Amino acid sequence: MKKRLYRSATDKKLCGVCAGVAEYFEIDPTIIRLAWVVFTLLGGSGILAYIIAAIVMPSEIQQ
């Protein structure tokens, strides 16, 4: 099966972007969330990147 990047439908805090990225790379979602906060605090571009990812990434299909 092909690996796809989706927003998580089950493990989400806002839109599920961080959990979806974590599932794709098979790591803990907390690490991705902390990294996203660091990027946001350092340059401010993390907020824009999160909004774009939430719009562009398709939602995970629940089965």
Side-chain angles (χ1 to χ4, degrees):
M1 190 169 153
K2 200 173 189 181
K3 211 167 157 180
R4 302 274 323 250
L5 181 62
Y6 292 106
R7 287 183 289 132
S8 177
T10 56
D11 183 21
K12 60 181 178 178
K13 301 296 181 193
L14 291 176
C15 294
V17 172
C18 292
V21 171
E23 288 175 14
Y24 183 80
F25 290 112
E26 298 176 358
I27 57 175
D28 188 31
T30 305
I31 295 170
I32 300 296
R33 290 180 181 122
L34 288 173
W36 217 290
V37 168
V38 169
F39 288 130
T40 300
L41 293 176
L42 289 178
S45 62
I47 295 171
L48 181 61
Y50 191 90
I51 292 170
I52 291 171
I55 293 169
V56 173
M57 288 173 57
S59 184
E60 179 181 41
I61 301 168
Q62 292 184 350
Q63 297 175 7

